[in-house]
Amino acid sequence: MTTFQLASIALLLGLAGLTLIARAAGRLRWGEALPWIVVWTVGAALVGRPDLLTLLAQSLGVQRGVDPVPYTVVLSLPLLFLVLYARIRALRRDLTRLVREIAIRDALPAEPRDGGVR
Amino acid sequence: MTGTASPADARSVAVVIPAYNEAAVIGGVVREVLAHYPSVIVVDDGSADETGALARQAGATVLRHLVNRGQGAALQTGIEYAVRTGAEVVVTFDADGQHQVSDVANLAAPIRARRCDVVLGSRFLDSADAIPPMRRLLLRAAVIFARVVSGVRLTDAHNGLRALSADAARSVRIQIDEMAHASEIIDDIVRAGLRFEEVPVHIRYTEYSMAKGQHGGHAFKIVARYFLERILR
């Protein structure tokens, strides 16, 4: 294994470790931490054993080891777009609801504070 | 043919006018409507000019969005306020001077007669109006779009002049903030099983209103936004 591979594996496993620490400290939920731990760990495995990607590619009927990478990107991008759009949409709706409630509240006649006496 | 409402009928109508940067015309529009209907609600959608102040000076009740949210959002705000404050009929009316207050009575009448829950204005039922050719083409496309996507046969699917009963107004929930809300309103009408009809209305095409209105390129954005919202609903 080359120095670059060792350094990269150390970095990736370090990131996985930091993610676990953040999870243990309660800063991340398991649903947020687990995907990242998988990404860092798989990345470290592929750096250490590049032939794994070729084996995976061939098992999927793809010739070259690097080909799954652009295929995955092309398939993931529309999904990622939809996920991001849905999140932004939810934020925008919350903002509109807030702005609306303030506008209506400011325009409605003030409620009497003590027993109906104005 | 346009009508006039009796004073009692006029009091039960709330006219909702969403407005964004309409300082040039809003005072005149509000005064024109107020001359016939005492309840005029202007929703100032985060305007950068004096729209809100001018509307208030002209005598409207003004609600102000702290930040611009879009015409759909402003309409929903105005409709909610109108229903909360006891309106029996809610009329939506554009701020740019295109709509004519003389059409409001004909919009409200079928609802008061309990013939339907929603009345949609149509500029194509009365051929007297001169509609710019490009605008006519876009509006025809919108009609076909409504027929294919919502399954509704209309003669004018993108007219901002409409009336809703208070119950119908509660059933309609505009969630698309921008211009695709017009198609969303039609979907809500169908989904809620509301009875609707179209009546002729008259549109004034001025240089100002044409400059402010939707252009051809916006149509693609509106359609794309509408479909995205439907996928994620």
Side-chain angles (χ1 to χ4, degrees):
Chain A
M1 216 177 274
T2 66
T3 311
F4 176 78
Q5 278 176 295
L6 287 169
S8 299
I9 289 168
L11 175 64
L12 289 166
L13 290 178
L15 286 169
L18 284 172
T19 308
L20 267 172
I21 292 169
R23 166 65 206 116
R27 290 195 299 275
L28 289 175
R29 293 193 302 271
W30 272 117
E32 292 165 323
L34 204 51
W36 285 113
I37 292 170
V38 168
V39 165
W40 305 137
T41 312
V42 167
L46 291 175
V47 167
R49 287 282 307 277
D51 57 307
L52 285 177
L53 201 52
T54 305
L55 287 171
L56 172 67
Q58 285 168 353
S59 73
L60 293 172
V62 176
Q63 288 287 353
R64 299 184 311 164
V66 295
D67 283 350
V69 175
Y71 293 161
T72 306
V73 168
V74 164
L75 291 171
S76 309
L77 274 178
L79 179 63
L80 183 62
F81 170 78
L82 262 180
V83 167
L84 284 174
Y85 181 84
R87 289 196 173 192
I88 291 170
R89 186 180 83 134
L91 277 171
R92 287 174 57 89
R93 285 193 178 182
D94 284 345
L95 178 59
T96 297
R97 272 206 293 268
L98 186 60
V99 165
R100 173 171 301 136
E101 194 52 40
I102 292 171
I104 291 176
R105 203 175 287 186
D106 284 351
L108 282 172
E111 292 288 323
R113 287 178 188 241
D114 47 330
V117 176
R118 289 186 187 271
Chain B
M1 187 157 73
T2 56
T4 48
S6 69
D9 287 347
R11 276 194 295 277
S12 67
V13 173
V15 180
V16 171
I17 305 176
Y20 177 62
N21 291 344
E22 301 278 12
V25 295
I26 192 67
V29 170
V30 168
R31 279 187 287 273
E32 187 185 1
V33 178
L34 268 177
H36 300 271
Y37 297 94
S39 177
V40 175
I41 300 162
V42 169
V43 182
D44 173 9
D45 188 23
S47 300
D49 61 12
E50 296 299 305
T51 296
L54 290 168
R56 191 171 284 115
Q57 268 174 35
T61 298
V62 177
L63 280 70
R64 178 166 166 77
H65 281 175
L66 292 175
V67 291
N68 176 247
R69 301 309 302 145
Q71 193 186 51
L75 267 179
Q76 180 63 35
T77 298
I79 290 170
E80 268 188 46
Y81 181 83
V83 170
R84 277 204 218 185
T85 50
E88 292 171 23
V89 180
V90 181
V91 172
T92 66
F93 197 93
D94 282 358
D96 59 5
Q98 276 201 344
H99 293 157
Q100 303 200 35
V101 69
S102 50
D103 287 325
V104 173
N106 289 343
L107 286 165
I111 293 173
R112 259 198 281 278
R114 300 193 191 283
R115 226 166 48 227
C116 60
D117 309 302
V118 180
V119 179
L120 304 171
S122 171
R123 74 203 88 190
F124 294 109
L125 290 178
D126 182 336
S127 58
D129 291 338
I131 304 169
M134 190 56 169
R135 186 62 58 95
R136 182 185 288 270
L137 188 64
L138 283 174
L139 290 168
R140 290 294 187 201
V143 165
I144 294 169
F145 183 80
R147 196 172 300 176
V148 168
V149 169
S150 308
V152 169
R153 285 186 171 269
L154 294 171
T155 59
D156 190 348
H158 244 255
N159 194 312
L161 194 46
R162 57 177 83 79
L164 303 96
S165 68
D167 283 341
R170 287 187 197 95
S171 301
V172 166
R173 293 290 311 176
I174 303 170
Q175 298 195 75
I176 299 178
D177 290 347
E178 298 90 6
M179 290 310 293
H181 70 271
S183 301
E184 187 189 18
I185 290 173
I186 295 170
D187 282 349
D188 278 358
I189 289 170
V190 171
R191 177 189 47 77
L194 299 172
R195 298 166 301 162
F196 67 94
E197 63 181 66
E198 286 185 294
V199 301
V201 298
H202 306 90
I203 306 294
R204 279 188 290 238
Y205 291 101
T206 61
E207 252 184 66
Y208 177 85
S209 67
M210 292 298 291
K212 273 268 190 164
Q214 297 301 304
H215 303 289
H218 291 152
F220 295 105
K221 213 169 140 186
I222 290 170
V223 168
R225 183 67 196 271
Y226 171 78
F227 277 122
L228 266 172
E229 292 291 330
R230 265 185 86 141
I231 290 167
L232 291 168
R233 194 173 294 176

